[in-house]
Amino acid sequence: MQPKQSSLSFSLTPILLVAPFFLWGTAMVAMKGVMPHTTPLFMAGIRLIPAGILVLIVAAAIGRQQPQGWQAWAWISLFALVDGTLFQGFLAAGLVRTTAGLGSVMIDSQPLAVAVLSAWLFKEQIGAIGICGLVLGVLGISCIGLPVEFLGQIATHSLTGQFDLAALLDRGEWLMLLAALSMAVGTILIPFITKYVDPVIATGWHMIIGGIPLAIGSFYLESNQWTALATNDWLAVAYSTIFGSAIAYGLFFYFAAQGNLTSLSSLTFLTPVFALLFGNLFLGETLDLLQWCGVCLTLVSILLINQRDYIWSLLTGVPQLDPSLESAELSQSVASTTQTIQAYTSEE
């Protein structure tokens, strides 16, 4: 009987590895389907707060330790502001103005920003492959988010200034880009946070704390948030909350804890693929040729950034650096930075 259990576990592992990205991509489609019947701040808040409660319930059941001390709560609060309030707020607002597929592509371009921030803060090497990925990413995002006429004028060096910059920046794709930048900053904060608090507990609390400003904003700034929601809409909201937030994050952190970071990073590009596929199937979303070019360039850039060391080792024959060494170097950089912060706060 034991060999059968091992075989079943092995066969389910690839499916479970893909599951978070499938859930995130399909949750984007579910949210987009609900947006015409609700308001963005309400949608963002109701997705975060119940999911955070579910994560904390599960974390308490498995014995995860609650935050201890003001430093833990300070880092959680900062994480909540950036990766909770700002990320989910920009995401929901962007979904009002763009499709689920394109929005997902823009959000999942965040590894590009993470690479730049890591090079700046932690002195990580981007390398030639990473630089190529960054260039392709900028080109891809431009193809997705800029009007064809604007790109044509850039190509012919004949900018006329006829474009409304405020309207250009108000496009949903650029709001999604702001969401991606918020998520990237949140990712950079994780090594600092995990020095003081369990990452799963931090995830649950940051959802709740980050959702509170969104709920307050919805109460004061929005109206008729749920009056037009039908049964199918509530089911879509529940799917986004339970599966797209609580379960997806739970699986992601579970596999991250098992040391499958390389596998997880290489699967990042699947989220927009699922969003594009199911957005077309359920919402009838379509892209023009330029947008498809942008999507392809962005997905290739994400792959190059995530797998730059592996690709470089294949091209040059130089063995890839041991991930444990990279983690040790990162931990040293984080420890040095946090010691500086502690010294500064103690002087004050």
Side-chain angles (χ1 to χ4, degrees):
M1 295 299 292
Q2 187 65 31
K4 290 183 180 180
Q5 293 177 353
S6 300
S7 176
L8 179 61
S9 175
F10 179 79
S11 64
L12 286 177
T13 298
I15 298 175
L16 293 177
L17 276 173
V18 172
F21 308 98
F22 171 83
L23 295 174
W24 282 328
T26 52
M28 287 284 290
V29 178
M31 290 174 63
K32 177 61 179 178
V34 175
M35 288 311 301
H37 308 144
T38 186
T39 55
L41 294 181
F42 174 77
M43 184 70 207
I46 201 172
R47 183 185 181 189
L48 274 183
I49 296 175
I53 294 173
L54 288 175
V55 170
L56 289 181
I57 290 173
V58 173
I62 60 178
R64 299 278 187 168
Q65 185 178 11
Q66 291 294 320
Q68 303 293 323
W70 70 268
Q71 290 175 314
W73 286 109
W75 282 111
I76 290 174
S77 299
L78 180 60
F79 189 40
L81 172 65
V82 174
D83 195 65
T85 305
L86 294 180
F87 170 57
Q88 292 293 337
F90 284 133
L91 185 155
L95 270 180
V96 176
R97 302 175 177 89
T98 189
T99 65
L102 286 184
S104 182
V105 172
M106 298 296 283
I107 286 177
D108 280 275
S109 66
Q110 59 92 16
L112 311 181
V114 170
V116 174
L117 291 173
S118 297
W120 176 43
L121 294 174
F122 306 127
K123 310 303 179 184
E124 289 187 6
Q125 297 297 320
I126 297 179
I129 301 298
I131 292 174
C132 290
L134 291 174
V135 172
L136 289 178
V138 172
L139 291 174
I141 291 170
S142 299
C143 290
I144 293 172
L146 293 175
V148 176
E149 297 82 1
F150 188 74
L151 292 174
Q153 288 191 9
I154 292 177
T156 57
H157 304 285
S158 60
L159 285 174
T160 62
Q162 296 176 353
F163 289 97
D164 185 348
L165 181 61
L168 179 65
L169 295 177
D170 194 47
R171 288 167 62 96
E173 293 85 356
W174 295 101
L175 290 171
M176 289 299 190
L177 184 59
L178 291 175
L181 292 175
S182 301
M183 185 178 181
V185 174
T187 301
I188 292 297
L189 291 176
I190 289 176
F192 298 96
I193 295 167
T194 53
K195 288 183 65 66
Y196 298 100
V197 62
D198 178 87
V200 178
I201 291 291
T203 299
W205 276 115
H206 106 279
M207 287 180 174
I208 295 174
I209 297 173
I212 291 174
L214 295 169
I216 294 174
S218 177
F219 179 80
Y220 284 104
L221 302 176
E222 298 174 339
S223 60
N224 300 320
Q225 295 94 325
W226 56 81
T227 54
L229 292 177
T231 301
N232 289 340
D233 295 323
W234 283 112
L235 290 175
V237 170
Y239 178 84
S240 299
T241 300
I242 298 172
F243 291 92
S245 293
I247 294 178
Y249 275 107
L251 287 173
F252 182 84
F253 278 111
Y254 171 78
F255 284 114
Q258 302 304 309
N260 289 306
L261 294 175
T262 301
S263 299
L264 288 175
S265 63
S266 65
L267 294 173
T268 302
F269 73 95
L270 287 178
T271 301
V273 171
F274 286 126
L276 288 165
L277 174 62
F278 285 93
N280 178 266
L281 289 176
F282 291 101
L283 303 177
E285 296 178 349
T286 58
L287 307 180
D288 58 33
L289 180 59
L290 181 64
Q291 289 173 328
W292 273 119
C293 291
V295 168
C296 293
L297 288 173
T298 304
L299 294 182
V300 171
S301 73
I302 294 170
L303 183 61
L304 290 177
I305 288 291
N306 281 331
Q307 298 297 305
R308 59 187 183 274
D309 293 335
Y310 176 70
I311 295 173
W312 182 254
S313 68
L314 289 179
L315 294 176
T316 62
V318 177
Q320 187 177 0
L321 183 64
D322 188 347
S324 62
L325 297 179
E326 292 181 337
S327 298
E329 293 176 358
L330 179 60
S331 299
Q332 291 175 359
S333 299
V334 172
S336 176
T337 305
T338 51
Q339 287 173 3
T340 302
I341 294 172
Q342 290 172 352
Y344 178 77
T345 54
S346 63
E347 290 176 359
E348 290 187 336

